[in-house]
Amino acid sequence: FTVFVIGNIASGKSSAARYLAVRGALHLDLDRMAKDLYIPGSPLVMEVADAFGWDVLAADGSLRTAVLAERAFATPETIARLNAIVHPPLFEQLAVRILPPQCCSTVMPSAQLTVVEVSAAASCTDAFGLADEVLAISAPRPMRRQRALDRGMDGADFDRRADVQPDEDELCALAQTVMLNTGTEQELFVALDRWLTERGITLMNEVSLRRRTRLLAWYRTLPLVCVLAVGVISFVYSFGPALLFRSMYPLQYESEIAASSSAHGVTRIW
């Protein structure tokens, strides 16, 4: 089952996607996949630089993402220009990750649930055909703005980004399911659990999550356990025999030294 999770800035879509990923879903972040395409010197990067100015490139040929974001997200027209460059290869990569392989000799693991996190939903509708369902995480703009401020984002930066995004009604119209996120994060997680149950999707429950956490913690301590075990074995092999035979055949060092000194006429000085 593949779900596209959409939402405007600070709506909670990333929290929703991360929660489902922790439960065991495959999480694909479309923004991260797009950034992975920005390989220095590639035709894609050259085309982006040609469209938005060659000073978006750093000295090593990589993209200065902050400069690009400032120019590309300035107006709907500049957003459309960037999307026209990036989306064709991006959607091709996404299809490869989501669709099953056609070659019978290829074996790939399949996930019970694949979550695709989509930030710019209005410009990605061409890829929605890859999804079984589009889920919108929605919250009023004033609430989203306050969340962004609480996270340290500048208010003017939030307004600039939010102004080029669709309003909540337009966003929700793109989805089959709308989840209102106006409460706590825990309430959002409960709603996601209910959504999973309604679709018959079984992921890890809380007990399995605790077991997985304990297992990961044990794996992290495994190197330390190995080092301690090697140290104990080395100590036993180095000093064990001496300690064992000393207890079996005790030597009277003081008397032996005294007798030898007396026999050779040596005067002890201690």
Side-chain angles (χ1 to χ4, degrees):
F1 193 91
T2 299
V3 59
F4 280 28
V5 179
I6 65 175
N8 285 325
I9 183 172
S11 62
K13 68 180 179 303
S14 296
S15 296
R18 285 194 298 267
Y19 174 73
L20 294 173
V22 170
R23 290 286 306 272
L26 172 64
H27 178 202
L28 302 177
D29 185 344
L30 214 55
D31 281 350
R32 172 53 56 189
M33 291 180 64
K35 290 178 182 178
D36 289 342
L37 295 174
Y38 295 147
I39 301 173
S42 65
L44 177 64
V45 169
M46 295 298 101
E47 190 173 356
V48 170
D50 190 51
F52 293 96
W54 288 92
D55 56 338
V56 300
L57 298 181
D60 60 356
S62 62
L63 279 174
R64 299 164 61 196
T65 54
V67 177
L68 176 62
E70 183 179 354
R71 296 179 185 178
F73 299 128
T75 66
E77 291 75 17
T78 55
I79 293 176
R81 189 187 312 162
L82 179 64
N83 291 340
I85 298 172
V86 178
H87 279 182
L90 175 62
F91 293 164
E92 181 179 351
Q93 289 291 322
L94 182 62
V96 169
R97 296 293 302 274
I98 292 177
L99 298 179
Q102 300 301 317
C103 178
C104 59
S105 64
T106 303
V107 178
M108 293 182 62
S110 58
Q112 178 76 5
L113 175 65
T114 299
V115 179
V116 181
E117 182 181 345
V118 183
S119 298
S123 59
C124 293
T125 53
D126 290 344
F128 283 4
L130 298 171
D132 296 297
E133 183 176 343
V134 178
L135 170 64
I137 308 297
S138 178
R141 178 164 173 167
M143 180 176 291
R144 293 189 289 110
R145 191 178 195 277
Q146 187 57 51
R147 287 175 182 168
L149 294 178
D150 292 341
R151 293 196 310 232
M153 178 178 282
D154 180 70
D157 187 23
F158 172 86
D159 293 335
R160 180 175 58 84
R161 296 184 182 221
D163 286 342
V164 297
Q165 290 183 326
D167 61 34
E168 293 303 306
D169 291 337
E170 293 173 343
L171 177 82
C172 294
L174 300 174
Q176 286 86 33
T177 304
V178 176
M179 195 172 291
L180 191 62
N181 181 27
T182 56
T184 64
E185 194 172 63
Q186 188 59 40
E187 290 174 335
L188 173 63
F189 297 161
V190 171
L192 289 168
D193 288 338
R194 188 184 310 115
W195 178 86
L196 290 170
T197 301
E198 291 171 352
R199 282 143 190 82
I201 302 173
T202 303
L203 299 177
M204 289 189 297
N205 56 28
E206 188 173 348
V207 175
S208 299
L209 283 173
R210 286 199 296 267
R211 289 175 179 171
R212 181 185 180 186
T213 302
R214 288 197 296 267
L215 183 61
L216 290 175
W218 187 85
Y219 276 132
R220 292 191 186 100
T221 60
L222 185 58
L224 178 60
V225 172
C226 291
V227 170
L228 291 176
V230 170
V232 170
I233 293 172
S234 300
F235 177 83
V236 170
Y237 271 92
S238 299
F239 301 100
L243 296 175
L244 176 63
F245 287 112
R246 182 176 180 180
S247 62
M248 294 175 62
Y249 305 101
L251 298 177
Q252 302 298 325
Y253 292 103
E254 291 294 328
S255 60
E256 293 291 334
I257 293 174
S260 177
S261 300
S262 177
H264 293 84
V266 176
T267 302
R268 297 176 61 184
I269 59 174
W270 68 88

